[in-house]
């Protein structure tokens, strides 16, 4: 059969785009599948990885996902639908024209807006199906009656959850002869439950009030008292981003919480030890499924039709009362303290998620296609093409999936390059000439790269290529990269210098390495605040002289450049502790706003930048923010006759993950 999936866009790594890619994966092994996008170019976002043979039909390739090319509002999308403002009359025309000539056997719409459009469009000889991405009760009251009226014209509707299928609107559809069947949203399954411990808790979802990110932060803060050393990663966009950052600062979690301004991907769930779902509304099942599919146990609120519908207590997760901070903190502490419990629940989580695997979901849709009765709504009959054609099979792109293991070994799996013989690593930049070739095994066997082999690379960047049997190079695109194993630094302790390399995606979606290589390195672990000082703690790696006179230095970036001693330092058993005095930066301040780099020296060698590199974050400045230390200049700083200013000092990470300070005069 020819199947078309209607989605707003594939140009972004959004929840809707990811749902389209997963559904295409479930159906592509049995059918000819195309994804039809209302907005954006046909090239999908690099993170989506559509299966081989799945085409993309872009109805408006020159129109970006959020742009409007027509000021007239849509006449097909229900006014008041959450996505109503996305569409206009130009979209209506393009959709009507395409659907009338598509020649598809099945068309599946992945939003309530596109479901309403599909219900009003003629699609000759096709079965029309709408998948609801949210509970029907989330639709405004004014929309539901019109929604029910339009959806009566469809052949089938797939509700979000089994509980949602019991809503009055779905009962009305059943009475009208529409097939209503719950099918889990397909998820990408981890290969096995064995994965490195990372000490990471993940919270994912829109930063809106009902997601209760504030509860997640308070619960995590409580658990830190009993189980220090863990990290919380918050993923999502939304209106409460600033409030979330302020709460992180107020709770003193600046060293333990990272905020990512994007949706969480499968690799983010895989790289976590615990998933935390605190939403108080019944649309919380999606992050639960995504976590379970990556063998990550879940602490979730007992929201009706949400987590309890997916997992039973103790089978892949722990359920807590809605809105209960203390119960949530206790469940987190229970997982944090018991690796055996986490390990057992990882196995159970993956087993639970298999019911939503690509093959199982594909089977469920096969049953749905067969069960939809031929009649006025949809006619199999003799399919007659009225124009258009299925897209030609796209040539697969050369892509690499990368997995970093705790022992320092990288597993790089190449896709889209038949007969690949080696993965080639080439330094980039003027005067950079190092090239490494790592053999690729037969079949889908990944190339295995030891971290020590990469130690020949100098500081900078390197690109990765696949080399086939004829010696032809194909630059590799960034695939699915799980980096949790990168956080274990023990595998590099035998090197005589500090070396760290991490993969990342370029703006064009290619795979590139960021390499740090230094004779000596001061790795920052924590920043604590006093009334007039910052206390820095970290470990030392490389060629440090224990017998020297250690010092913490500040170096001004603006002219005139100056370096000054800023506090006491102590070295002990490979660790350092330093007190950074705010008065020193105040005394040397010349401008309203200045930047100072933080350096450490042992007194006998060149100073080195304090940085946080030995982690799995290529760029930290966008995800970690420190509070500002604010005080009035002391009266004896410049003399009693000089007006005193209020000055703020805030640490931050540069693009290279090195620690700097911004000193600002407040008015």
């Amino acid at each position: 059969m020819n199947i078309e999936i209607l989605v707003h866009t594939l140009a972004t790594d959004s929840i809707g785009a990811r749902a389209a890619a997963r559904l295409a994966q479930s159906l592509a092994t049995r059918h000819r599948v195309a994804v039809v996008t209302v907005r954006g170019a046909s090239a999908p976002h690099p993170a989506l990885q559509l299966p081989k043979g799945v085409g993309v039909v872009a109805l408006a390739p020159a129109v970006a996902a959020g742009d409007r090319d027509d000021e007239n509002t849509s006449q097909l999308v229900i006014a008041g639908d959450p996505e109503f403002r996305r569409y206009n009359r130009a979209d209506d025309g393009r959709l009507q024209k395409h659907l009338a000539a598509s020649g598809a056997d099945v068309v599946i719409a992945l939003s309530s807006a596109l479901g309403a459009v599909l219900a009003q469009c003629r699609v000759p000889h096709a079965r029309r199906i709408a998948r609801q991405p949210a509970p029907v009760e989330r639709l405004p009251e004014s929309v539901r009656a019109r929604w029910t009226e339009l959806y009566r014209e469809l052949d089938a509707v797939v509700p979000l959850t089994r509980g949602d299928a019991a809503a009055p609107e779905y009962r009305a559809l059943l009475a009208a002869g529409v097939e209503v069947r719950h099918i889990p949203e397909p998820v990408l399954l981890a290969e096995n439950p064995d994965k490195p411990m990372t000490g990471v808790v993940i919270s994912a979802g829109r930063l809106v009030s009902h997601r209760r990110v504030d509860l997640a932060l308070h619960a995590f803060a409580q658990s830190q008292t009993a189980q220090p050393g863990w990290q919380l990663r918050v993923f999502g966009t939304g209106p409460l981003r600033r409030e979330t950052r302020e709460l992180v600062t107020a709770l003193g979690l600046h060293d333990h919480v990272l905020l990512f301004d994007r949706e969480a991907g499968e690799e983010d769930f895989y790289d976590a030890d615990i998933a935390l779902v605190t939403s108080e509304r019944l649309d919380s099942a999606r992050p639960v499924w995504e976590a379970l599919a990556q063998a990550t146990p879940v602490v979730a609120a007992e929201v009706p039709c949400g987590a309890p519908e997916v997992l039973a207590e103790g089978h892949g997760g722990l359920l807590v009362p809605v809105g209960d901070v203390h119960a949530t903190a206790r469940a987190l502490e229970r997982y944090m303290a018991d690796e055996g419990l986490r390990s057992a629940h990882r196995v159970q989580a993956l087993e639970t998620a298999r019911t939503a695997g690509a093959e199982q979901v594909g089977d469920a849709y096969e049953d749905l296609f067969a069960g939809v009765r031929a009649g006025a709504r949809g006619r199999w009959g003799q399919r007659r093409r009225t124009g258009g054609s299925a897209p030609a099979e796209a040539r697969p792109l050369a892509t690499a999936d990368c997995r970093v293991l705790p022992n320092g070994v990288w597993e790089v799996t190449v896709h889209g390059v038949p007969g690949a013989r080696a993965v080639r690593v080439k330094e980039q930049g003027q005067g950079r000439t190092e090239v490494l070739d790592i053999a690729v095994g037969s079949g889908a066997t990944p190339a295995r790269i030891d971290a020590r082999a990469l130690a020949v690379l100098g500081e900078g960047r390197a690109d990765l290529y696949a080399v086939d049997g004829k010696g032809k190079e194909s630059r590799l695109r960034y695939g699915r990269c799980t980096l949790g194993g990168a956080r274990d630094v023990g595998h590099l302790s035998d090197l005589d210098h500090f070396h760290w390399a991490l993969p990342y995606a370029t703006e064009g979606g290619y795979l590139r390495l960021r390499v740090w290589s230094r004779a000596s390195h001061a790795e920052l672990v924590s920043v604590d605040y006093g009334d007039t000082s910052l206390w820095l703690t970290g470990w030392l790696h490389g060629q440090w002289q224990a017998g020297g006179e250690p010092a913490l230095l500040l170096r001004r970036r603006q002219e005139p450049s100056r370096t000054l001693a800023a506090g006491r330092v102590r070295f002990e058993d490979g660790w350092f502790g330093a007190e950074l005095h705010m008065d020193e930066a105040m005394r040397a301040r010349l401008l309203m706003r200045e930047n100072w780099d933080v350096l450490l020296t042992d007194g006998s060698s060149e100073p080195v930048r304090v940085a946080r590199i030995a982690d799995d974050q290529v760029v930290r400045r966008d995800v970690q923010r420190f509070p500002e230390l604010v005080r009035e200049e002391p009266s004896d700083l410049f003399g009693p006759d000089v007006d005193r200013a209020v000055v703020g000092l805030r640490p931050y990470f540069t693009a290279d993950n090195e620690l700097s300070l911004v000193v600002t005069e407040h008015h």
Side-chain angles (χ1 to χ4, degrees):
M1 288 189 290
N2 281 346
I3 298 176
E4 288 189 351
I5 301 171
L6 292 184
V7 68
H8 179 68
T9 187
L10 291 180
T12 63
D13 185 21
S14 63
I15 290 175
R18 204 178 308 150
R22 290 170 177 165
L23 182 56
Q25 182 182 25
S26 300
L27 300 173
T29 57
R30 320 167 195 222
H31 305 286
R32 190 177 183 85
V33 178
V35 180
V36 179
T37 67
V38 182
R39 300 286 180 87
S42 59
H45 188 279
L48 294 178
Q49 295 189 54
L50 289 179
K52 180 181 178 181
V54 172
V56 178
V57 178
L59 301 185
V63 183
D67 293 344
R68 294 182 69 86
D69 59 339
D70 184 340
E71 293 305 316
N72 296 315
T73 57
S74 171
Q75 302 299 298
L76 298 179
V77 179
I78 304 172
D81 185 280
E83 296 187 355
F84 174 68
R85 294 185 181 276
R86 276 186 166 187
Y87 299 102
N88 53 43
R89 199 165 297 183
D91 296 321
D92 293 350
R94 285 188 287 260
L95 283 163
Q96 288 174 318
K97 180 180 180 180
H98 171 79
L99 291 172
S102 73
D105 299 306
V106 178
V107 181
I108 306 173
L110 296 190
S111 70
S112 57
L114 292 176
V117 172
L118 182 60
Q120 299 171 78
C121 288
R122 179 174 177 270
V123 192
H125 311 287
R127 306 220 167 173
R128 297 175 297 166
I129 300 171
R131 174 172 180 80
Q132 288 300 105
V136 69
E137 75 168 29
R138 291 277 307 279
L139 294 173
E141 196 75 39
S142 60
V143 172
R144 293 186 205 170
R146 179 61 174 159
W147 180 90
T148 306
E149 178 186 351
L150 289 179
Y151 270 47
R152 291 171 187 262
E153 301 300 317
L154 296 173
D155 295 299
V157 181
V158 180
L160 178 69
T161 66
R162 288 188 295 271
D164 188 36
E169 290 79 5
Y170 284 111
R171 292 201 297 270
L173 294 180
L174 280 169
V178 180
E179 183 76 17
V180 175
R181 190 178 304 185
H182 166 62
I183 301 175
E185 185 173 330
V187 292
L188 181 64
L189 298 173
E191 294 180 1
N192 60 68
D194 297 326
K195 58 182 185 179
M197 176 180 174
T198 60
V200 169
V201 180
I202 182 174
S203 173
R206 285 271 295 165
L207 299 182
V208 291
S209 58
H210 75 270
R211 289 286 184 181
R212 295 303 310 272
V213 180
D214 60 326
L215 187 150
L217 290 170
H218 280 287
F220 181 76
Q222 287 189 23
S223 68
Q224 277 291 101
T225 304
Q227 297 291 329
W230 284 72
Q231 182 185 89
L232 173 64
R233 299 185 177 183
V234 179
F235 290 84
T237 60
L240 298 183
R241 184 166 182 78
R242 186 182 69 180
E243 289 84 347
T244 303
R245 281 199 179 279
E246 291 174 349
L247 183 56
V248 169
T249 298
L251 294 174
L253 295 174
H254 54 272
D255 271 329
H256 307 286
V257 175
L258 302 183
L259 298 179
F260 295 83
D261 190 21
R262 61 175 176 85
E263 303 291 344
E266 289 91 357
E267 63 276 9
D268 299 307
F269 283 100
Y270 183 86
D271 286 338
D273 284 318
I274 307 167
L276 180 56
V277 180
T278 51
S279 176
E280 59 187 12
R281 286 210 315 219
L282 57 82
D283 60 350
S284 60
R286 179 182 287 113
V288 172
W289 278 115
E290 291 177 331
L292 296 177
Q294 298 305 311
T296 301
V298 182
V299 173
E302 294 181 289
V303 180
C305 306
E309 187 176 291
V310 178
L311 54 89
E313 172 73 22
H315 294 280
L318 302 175
L319 299 173
V320 296
V322 176
D324 193 326
V325 175
H326 300 296
T328 305
R330 288 194 298 271
L332 281 176
E333 292 172 21
R334 184 178 169 191
Y335 269 142
M336 291 173 175
D338 194 339
E339 165 60 22
L341 179 65
R342 294 200 308 274
S343 179
H345 282 194
R346 281 198 296 266
V347 176
Q348 295 168 355
L350 192 54
E351 190 62 33
T352 300
R354 291 193 194 284
T355 60
E359 183 175 350
Q360 289 76 9
V361 170
D363 289 341
Y365 271 99
E366 287 286 303
D367 291 342
L368 176 62
F369 300 155
V372 176
R373 182 173 57 85
R377 290 189 178 85
R379 300 183 299 276
W380 288 107
Q382 178 63 39
R383 182 166 54 83
R384 180 179 70 255
R385 291 197 179 276
T386 57
S389 61
E393 184 173 305
R395 182 180 178 182
L397 298 173
T399 306
D401 293 338
C402 180
R403 182 185 182 196
V404 182
L405 306 179
N407 62 359
V409 172
W410 294 34
E411 290 187 344
V412 180
T413 304
V414 177
H415 307 283
V417 182
R421 297 292 182 86
V423 170
R424 179 167 292 168
V425 183
K426 298 172 67 173
E427 289 187 327
Q428 298 301 310
Q430 188 173 4
R432 310 287 300 283
T433 60
E434 192 68 47
V435 176
L436 294 175
D437 279 354
I438 297 92
V440 174
S442 59
T445 305
R448 295 177 65 86
I449 308 173
D450 193 294
R452 295 169 186 80
L454 297 175
V456 300
L457 300 175
E459 179 133 354
R461 286 167 171 78
D463 291 333
L464 276 75
Y465 298 79
V467 183
D468 63 17
K470 298 180 180 179
K472 180 183 176 182
E473 291 183 351
S474 300
R475 190 174 176 190
L476 289 169
R477 301 184 72 86
Y478 185 91
R480 184 167 180 260
C481 292
T482 53
L483 310 180
R487 305 188 74 202
D488 187 341
V489 299
H491 59 270
L492 293 176
S493 59
D494 58 342
L495 295 177
D496 61 358
H497 67 290
F498 175 79
H499 191 275
W500 204 257
L502 289 175
Y504 70 98
T506 67
E507 289 186 2
Y510 290 101
L511 179 62
R512 180 171 285 174
L513 301 185
R514 172 62 172 100
V515 181
W516 291 270
S517 184
R518 303 171 180 187
S520 299
H521 172 57
E523 175 74 13
L524 181 67
V525 173
S526 65
V527 179
D528 297 310
Y529 284 70
D531 292 334
T532 62
S533 302
L534 299 177
W535 294 86
L536 312 180
T537 306
W539 50 265
L540 304 169
H541 191 100
Q543 303 166 12
W544 292 90
Q545 302 297 323
E549 290 292 334
L552 187 70
L553 306 177
L554 292 180
R555 180 179 295 162
R556 181 165 46 213
R557 289 197 199 161
Q558 289 83 5
E559 294 295 336
S561 179
R562 181 182 177 185
T563 301
L564 56 91
R568 298 175 299 162
V569 179
R570 180 181 178 184
F571 289 178
E572 184 175 341
D573 296 330
W575 285 79
F576 72 88
E579 182 183 13
L580 193 159
H581 294 294
M582 188 173 181
D583 285 355
E584 298 304 322
M586 286 182 172
R587 194 181 306 277
R589 185 172 60 87
L590 297 176
L591 306 174
M592 299 286 290
R593 182 183 178 89
E594 296 181 337
N595 299 87
W596 294 78
D597 296 330
V598 182
L599 303 96
L600 193 66
T601 178
D602 59 13
S604 61
S605 58
E606 284 295 314
V608 300
R609 292 289 298 275
V610 176
R612 185 169 293 175
I613 295 171
D615 202 340
D616 58 359
Q617 297 301 309
V618 174
V619 179
R620 302 189 69 87
R621 65 177 180 182
D622 298 329
V623 300
Q624 184 169 7
R625 186 178 179 88
F626 291 98
E628 188 177 42
L629 180 62
V630 180
R631 66 177 293 225
E632 190 176 54
E633 290 177 331
S635 58
D636 60 346
L637 194 60
F638 300 110
D641 297 329
V642 179
D643 291 337
R644 292 187 290 171
V646 176
V647 179
L649 182 151
R650 184 176 64 83
Y652 68 94
F653 287 115
T654 69
D656 291 324
N657 293 351
E658 295 169 332
L659 186 68
S660 293
L661 307 175
V662 58
V663 181
T664 309
E665 181 175 321
H666 292 261
H667 295 281

